[in-house]
Amino acid sequence: MLPFIRKQAFLVFAFIMTVPLWGGLSCTPATPATVRIGYLLGDLHQLPFFVAQDKGFFKDEGINVQVAGPFDAGPAEMDALAANQLDMGYVGIAPSVLAAARKIDLSIISGVNLEGSALATEIGINSVADLKSKKVATPAPGSIQYVMLGMLLSQNSLSFSDLDLFPGTIKPPDMPQSLQTGRISGYFVWEPFVAKSVVGGYGKALVESKEIWPGHPCCVVVTRNDFALKNDNTVAAVIRAHRKAVQFITDNPADAKTIAQKWTRLDAAIIDNAFTRVKYTYALSKDDVKRFAREIISLGESGTIKPIITAGDVPDLDAFVDKVVDLQYIQR
Amino acid sequence: MLFLLAWEIAALLANLPQLFPTPVDVLSALYALLIAPGPAGLPWAGELWGNTLISLWRVLVGFAIAAVSGILLGVAIGWWRNARDLLEPIIELLRPIPPLAWIPLAMLWFGLGFTPAVFLIWLGAFFPILLNTVLGMESTPKKLVEVAKTLGASSGQILFKVCVPFAAPSIMAGLRIGIGIGWMCLVAAELTGSNSGLGYMIMYYYSTMEAAKTVAGMLMIGIVGFLMFTALKKMEDNLLFWRVQS
């Protein structure tokens, strides 16, 4: 009899002691999935990332974002992705295509924005030809702005050798000041660093990137394929949050500008000016990616820029783009 | 040989050519850089030699200015107490600031390209040369000076025939350290506000994700640095032959 009572007492005791745990199990939400996401230094194109954080869209999707960066330019971010320091990244289309051509196992899974860069010059420069032999800066070689400047020069029958080019050795945030102090005559960069010179009154947007290629793709979201394979639902949740953020910017531009101001610590006038050049979208077109890769290859072949990607790196462009661009997440 | 073999095996096992190239990849990149057209103004030299020549020119100019200014000031501080009292606090205040921290100011003051790079090299090389010169001057034994005085030597003779020769080994050590630090500063200087030179070349190929060419550039920096150090050591042995004999 006594052992039976002891057993009953133990069961009752065990039940009482574990009640809080049962309750806890049923009430505490599952641990949020952690995703390491990278972004570029002060790049207004990547505003959806900050809106998603600011408005809690990632949290709503059960995602704990570990912010990695900022990176000075896309190639450095792609290296971090290849080195497994990042799971996903907001980055330009050029470095992501370049990274894929270098056999880094990634997928481009969403658009972020179209257009949004420009060639800013000193006030006295009136044409691209005026920049001949002048000091001009771009972000790192292989960045989208570097390629777009190559396209612009090609359209004007010029090449990089006609300029005194400084690619990657002046950081984008330092470019407006370099222009203001006369150290350079122009720079091709992402927003808001064009707007900063324009609003400051010492520079102008001589050519906007939309004039070079209307509706060109710019920033995209990429993921490491091994991460996506193991965390399919997490990647889908990040892209859902990203879509919400893009929608928020479209529906609430004033609130979005406030978030942009908070993030960039720039004046409202600069953000307003920059917003006129950026189109936010999560849409992504395989044809645009294909055209972009083709542009990089042909600019190298024509000698406008030093070859970055050759036809040998990407023998079958269609197969390459089909493999690299994965549209399933923006469709889910 | 063993090192190269271990590197080759490790890189092949890692199978990440975009991050960790094999020695064979690096050799092939070196060849590609040798035959590629050189930077503006030096297309005949090839990309590797052209950028190496540009970097060498910058470092030689920066180092020469550092050597002249460092030795002159060092001798002055070591010889005149007033100069030491006046300059020592300023030197000790500036010396701990890493040359790389001067990059933004160098760009503001001197713009882009050659001059800020030379300024940074001068900064890197100047302090070791200066301090070694002061150390050499101050360690001249008092007995030597007194003997020279007793033999009727003038102040100038004591300075140039006793103190400076006594300080020469220390000055040479400072020059060797200075050129090494100057070379390292040059590479860092060329990563900012530059569009030529070995540092820039490394940054360029890092940005285009061509790791083998990046490593090839790094290798060239190592080789040139080693050759400069060896040349200076040889020069030291020749100039200070009396020290070797003694």
Side-chain angles (χ1 to χ4, degrees):
Chain A
M1 196 63 185
L2 202 59
F4 174 75
I5 293 168
R6 270 216 303 253
K7 194 177 171 187
Q8 292 292 317
F10 172 75
L11 284 175
V12 170
F13 177 74
F15 177 77
I16 292 166
M17 290 307 287
T18 56
V19 163
L21 290 178
W22 285 96
L25 280 176
S26 58
C27 297
T28 308
T31 314
T34 298
V35 187
R36 297 168 301 171
I37 302 182
Y39 69 100
L40 294 177
L41 187 64
D43 190 339
L44 195 66
H45 301 174
Q46 303 182 357
L47 184 60
F49 178 52
F50 293 92
V51 168
Q53 285 191 95
D54 195 86
K55 305 307 289 180
F57 296 152
F58 288 126
K59 269 190 193 156
D60 294 348
E61 292 290 342
I63 302 294
N64 173 33
V65 170
Q66 252 182 31
V67 181
F71 292 88
D72 283 350
E77 191 177 333
M78 292 299 89
D79 265 357
L81 195 86
N84 196 9
Q85 301 300 307
L86 291 179
D87 303 316
M88 300 179 74
Y90 281 70
V91 71
I93 190 167
S96 48
V97 165
L98 176 61
R102 299 272 184 266
K103 313 281 185 275
I104 293 174
D105 195 20
L106 59 82
S107 289
I108 303 170
I109 56 173
S110 174
V112 175
N113 75 298
L114 305 175
E115 305 171 351
S117 300
L119 172 63
T121 63
E122 25 179 72
I123 302 291
I125 302 279
N126 294 313
S127 70
V128 178
D130 287 353
L131 284 172
K132 253 188 162 182
S133 306
K134 293 255 169 48
K135 288 185 169 74
V136 177
T138 69
S143 63
I144 185 164
Q145 289 76 18
Y146 180 84
V147 177
M148 295 296 284
L149 179 61
M151 289 170 69
L152 175 65
L153 293 174
S154 174
Q155 288 167 9
N156 286 273
S157 307
L158 295 168
S159 74
F160 276 178
S161 55
D162 292 310
L163 308 179
D164 190 7
L165 193 71
F166 288 79
T169 52
I170 300 174
K171 286 182 182 179
D174 296 336
M175 289 179 188
Q177 192 199 26
S178 297
L179 186 79
Q180 188 180 17
T181 52
R183 292 202 297 272
I184 53 175
S185 299
Y187 58 89
F188 205 121
V189 80
W190 57 68
E191 287 293 4
F193 303 118
V194 175
K196 201 171 173 186
S197 289
V198 173
V199 173
Y202 47 83
K204 64 181 180 187
L206 183 73
V207 181
E208 294 188 19
S209 60
K210 68 181 171 196
E211 297 170 58
I212 303 166
W213 176 359
H216 72 83
C218 192
C219 281
V220 292
V221 181
V222 299
T223 181
R224 263 189 10 256
N225 283 340
D226 64 327
F227 177 79
L229 203 66
K230 289 178 200 151
N231 303 277
D232 180 62
N233 289 332
T234 305
V235 174
V238 169
I239 296 303
R240 273 198 302 276
H242 167 65
R243 285 177 60 172
K244 274 189 215 169
V246 170
Q247 199 57 50
F248 179 88
I249 296 170
T250 311
D251 297 342
N252 309 281
D255 291 344
K257 283 176 188 173
T258 308
I259 295 171
Q261 251 186 285
K262 193 163 80 179
W263 168 48
T264 60
R265 295 174 189 175
L266 291 172
D267 293 343
I270 296 174
I271 299 296
D272 278 341
N273 188 288
F275 255 67
T276 61
R277 295 186 197 91
V278 191
K279 287 180 184 165
Y280 292 100
T281 177
Y282 53 82
L284 183 65
S285 146
K286 282 191 176 185
D287 287 339
D288 281 347
V289 178
K290 209 176 292 173
R291 177 172 168 191
F292 207 88
R294 208 180 290 126
E295 291 283 359
I296 299 180
I297 294 168
S298 68
L299 285 171
E301 283 171 351
S302 67
T304 308
I305 66 173
K306 225 191 241 186
I308 298 174
I309 304 175
T310 63
D313 294 324
V314 190
D316 184 344
L317 201 54
D318 289 335
F320 171 77
V321 171
D322 280 339
K323 183 174 178 285
V324 171
V325 179
D326 184 352
L327 299 175
Q328 61 154 318
Y329 293 105
I330 50 176
Q331 288 159 358
R332 271 155 72 171
Chain B
M1 239 5 237
L2 263 178
F3 170 71
L4 286 176
L5 194 69
W7 176 6
E8 179 79 28
I9 292 168
L12 287 173
L13 287 176
N15 195 25
L16 287 168
Q18 73 279 13
L19 295 180
F20 190 13
T22 66
V24 175
D25 292 338
V26 174
L27 275 179
S28 136
L30 268 173
Y31 176 71
L33 290 171
L34 279 171
I35 58 169
L42 296 171
W44 48 269
E47 189 167 5
L48 189 66
W49 286 121
N51 283 307
T52 304
L53 288 174
I54 289 170
S55 290
L56 267 175
W57 174 237
R58 286 172 181 159
V59 89
L60 286 178
V61 173
F63 175 70
I65 300 171
V68 171
S69 55
I71 292 171
L72 285 180
L73 208 61
V75 168
I77 292 172
W79 184 249
W80 287 294
R81 180 170 287 279
N82 285 347
R84 190 174 67 186
D85 292 345
L86 184 74
L87 295 171
E88 208 171 50
I90 303 168
I91 289 165
E92 288 307 319
L93 184 77
L94 296 176
R95 193 170 62 90
I97 302 172
L100 303 191
W102 288 86
I103 287 178
L105 267 188
M107 281 175 70
L108 272 177
W109 291 344
F110 303 113
L112 307 170
F114 180 80
T115 321
V118 167
F119 172 70
L120 290 169
I121 293 155
W122 171 78
L123 264 177
F126 173 73
F127 288 108
I129 297 171
L130 174 78
L131 293 181
N132 273 273
T133 306
V134 173
L135 182 75
M137 292 289 290
E138 285 179 345
S139 51
T140 310
K142 277 194 176 161
K143 270 185 186 172
L144 274 183
V145 178
E146 279 162 15
V147 167
K149 273 184 189 168
T150 313
L151 293 171
S154 65
S155 287
Q157 281 173 324
I158 293 172
L159 174 64
F160 291 110
K161 302 238 164 160
V162 178
C163 295
V164 172
F166 194 88
S170 182
I171 294 172
M172 284 307 294
L175 290 174
R176 264 190 288 127
I177 298 167
I179 204 161
I181 296 179
W183 186 241
M184 284 190 262
C185 290
L186 164 95
V187 174
E190 286 175 345
L191 295 175
T192 310
S194 182
N195 59 2
S196 58
L198 286 171
Y200 168 77
M201 196 183 87
I202 288 174
M203 187 283 303
Y204 180 91
Y205 287 114
Y206 166 71
S207 298
T208 57
M209 300 181 201
E210 292 170 87
K213 286 182 179 169
T214 308
V215 176
M218 289 165 61
L219 203 63
M220 195 64 189
I221 288 169
I223 292 169
V224 173
F226 172 75
L227 289 177
M228 284 196 312
F229 186 85
T230 309
L232 213 64
K233 184 83 183 74
K234 194 91 184 152
M235 199 171 86
E236 181 181 343
D237 290 345
N238 286 333
L239 282 175
L240 306 179
F241 60 93
W242 46 268
R243 186 193 61 170
V244 177
Q245 282 168 352
S246 68

